[in-house]
Amino acid sequence: QPLLTQPSSTSASLGASVTLTCTLNSGYSNYKVDWYQQTPGKGPRFVMRVGTGGIVGSKGDGVPDRFSVLGSGLNRFLTIKNVQEEDESDYYCATDHASGAGFVWIFGGGTKLIVL
Amino acid sequence: EVQLVDSGGGLVKPGGSLRVSCAASGFIFSDYGMNWVRQAPGKGLEWVSSITSVSDYKYYADSVKGRFTISRDNAKKSLYLEMNSLRAGDSGVYYCARTNWDSSGVLGMDAWGKGTTVTVSS
């Protein structure tokens, strides 16, 4: 089944751009991936879904235009332009997988974004 | 406004049982599949279970299979997770989440509750 790998942390200066990466394991390059944002003490928030063709469907409610996605090969990227203090959060990617054995959602380990 | 309100968490002894609930509003509940996702203290998100819109299919993570049961009541716009034989490793915040979809397929879990905390400890 698919696995999702994320760096544990990254940092960006206020006003700069940052790209978060989620990498699928070999054989799953056609999978779409969701991005979720979680600020400390709160529930996750859906950001958007991405495939190799870019965004799939719509952004989550209230997600700023500064957030965009791209997909290439086994990588799914979330880019945040003009990073703000409120963007400091944990970001998780996830994918759904259906097989003869059933259905699962798989999450990556999450990336902590630190805003400097 | 789409809203999911999780409730029912609490402190339970190892081996005990607990039922958590999720009340939905602001959308046609019976049109959507639903999920439970949990987060252990200081850890990442872990999918627990999913149920289709009319309860014809239910899916579970291997870690909870045989111990947890997901269900829903579309008339009451509510989702449930019955948890039995609880272990310390089941402790965490439990979130319900809606599966968004269209004719092309799944579009992600686009609405989440604020979570309810389950603590399994003697």
Side-chain angles (χ1 to χ4, degrees):
Chain A
Q1 68 177 25
L3 295 174
L4 300 171
T5 302
Q6 300 181 253
S8 58
S9 67
T10 191
S11 61
S13 298
L14 196 64
S17 292
V18 65
T19 295
L20 308 182
T21 304
C22 174
T23 304
L24 289 149
N25 54 327
S26 177
Y28 295 95
S29 60
N30 62 325
Y31 271 57
K32 301 175 180 66
V33 156
D34 304 325
W35 284 99
Y36 298 92
Q37 177 192 43
Q38 187 180 33
T39 51
K42 293 192 172 182
R45 173 199 197 189
F46 174 74
V47 178
M48 68 188 92
R49 172 167 272 223
V50 55
T52 51
I55 186 172
V56 179
S58 303
K59 289 183 181 180
D61 287 345
V63 174
D65 291 342
R66 303 183 289 105
F67 287 65
S68 63
V69 292
L70 198 60
S72 176
L74 295 172
N75 294 316
R76 305 292 180 263
F77 305 103
L78 174 66
T79 297
I80 309 172
K81 295 182 179 178
N82 186 21
V83 167
Q84 301 297 301
E85 286 183 6
E86 61 262 30
D87 300 331
E88 185 163 287
S89 302
D90 293 320
Y91 290 85
Y92 295 91
C93 59
T95 191
D96 57 295
H97 174 65
S99 69
F103 174 88
V104 297
W105 281 97
I106 297 153
F107 284 89
T111 296
K112 184 176 195 63
L113 172 62
I114 300 165
V115 178
L116 304 173
Chain B
E1 180 196 1
V2 173
Q3 199 167 10
L4 298 171
V5 179
D6 307 300
S7 63
L11 174 63
V12 60
K13 288 183 169 51
S17 298
L18 195 66
R19 187 176 87 155
V20 292
S21 303
C22 170
S25 61
F27 65 101
I28 302 173
F29 183 69
S30 57
D31 280 352
Y32 292 86
M34 297 295 295
N35 312 275
W36 287 102
V37 175
R38 69 184 180 184
Q39 187 169 36
K43 301 296 185 183
L45 300 173
E46 179 191 14
W47 170 74
V48 174
S49 183
S50 298
I51 187 169
T52 51
S53 59
V54 293
S55 304
D56 50 349
Y57 292 98
K58 302 175 184 181
Y59 305 102
Y60 300 92
D62 287 343
S63 57
V64 306
K65 207 170 287 184
R67 301 187 299 122
F68 288 14
T69 301
I70 191 171
S71 63
R72 64 190 293 161
D73 185 332
N74 285 346
K76 293 183 177 178
K77 300 180 185 179
S78 292
L79 175 73
Y80 307 102
L81 185 68
E82 183 78 36
M83 301 181 287
N84 298 317
S85 303
L86 282 162
R87 309 164 179 164
D90 295 318
S91 295
V93 179
Y94 283 70
Y95 300 100
C96 68
R98 182 181 83 168
T99 300
N100 191 20
W101 61 277
D102 68 9
S103 57
S104 68
V106 171
L107 296 175
M109 289 186 270
D110 71 332
W112 293 68
K114 288 183 165 57
T116 187
T117 301
V118 173
T119 303
V120 184
S121 174
S122 54

